[in-house]
């Protein structure tokens, strides 16, 4: 298994991913569904940094490194 960790800053400094009505949360969950539809994707989830809520961390587990590389090449 290969674990991918991606850290990025949200464009909105006041993002609240705990709010189920957040459009940012809805978009992020849509993107995770797309990732999970990729061959070799095992799990994908995210976390919000408490001290800096505009920082989001994605965790994605892949079967193999090739699975990860092939998913990045996909349109």
């Amino acid at each position: 298994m290969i674990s991918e960790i991606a850290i990025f800053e949200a464009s909105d400094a006041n993002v609240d991913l705990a709010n189920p009505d957040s459009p940012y949360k809805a978009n992020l969950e849509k993107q995770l569904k797309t990732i999970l539809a990729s061959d070799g994707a095992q799990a994908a989830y995210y976390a919000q940094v408490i001290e800096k809520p505009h920082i989001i961390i994605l965790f994605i587990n892949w079967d193999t490194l090739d699975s990860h590389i092939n998913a990045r090449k996909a349109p």
Side-chain angles (χ1 to χ4, degrees):
M1 178 176 68
I2 300 297
S3 295
E4 174 182 5
I5 301 171
I7 302 170
F8 65 95
E9 291 187 39
S11 57
D12 180 358
N14 297 314
V15 144
D16 180 9
L17 296 178
N19 177 357
D21 297 326
S22 165
Y24 200 90
K25 178 178 179 150
N27 185 46
L28 185 57
E29 290 181 356
K30 179 181 175 185
Q31 297 300 323
L32 289 181
K33 285 181 184 179
T34 300
I35 290 169
L36 287 171
S38 300
D39 288 336
Q42 294 180 359
Y45 55 96
Y46 59 87
Q48 187 170 18
V49 177
I50 296 294
E51 297 84 359
K52 297 181 181 180
H54 65 287
I55 303 291
I56 311 298
I57 305 172
L58 296 179
F59 303 90
I60 306 165
N61 294 333
W62 299 95
D63 288 338
T64 64
L65 180 58
D66 285 338
S67 297
H68 166 63
I69 291 170
N70 291 336
R72 291 187 61 163
K73 292 178 182 177

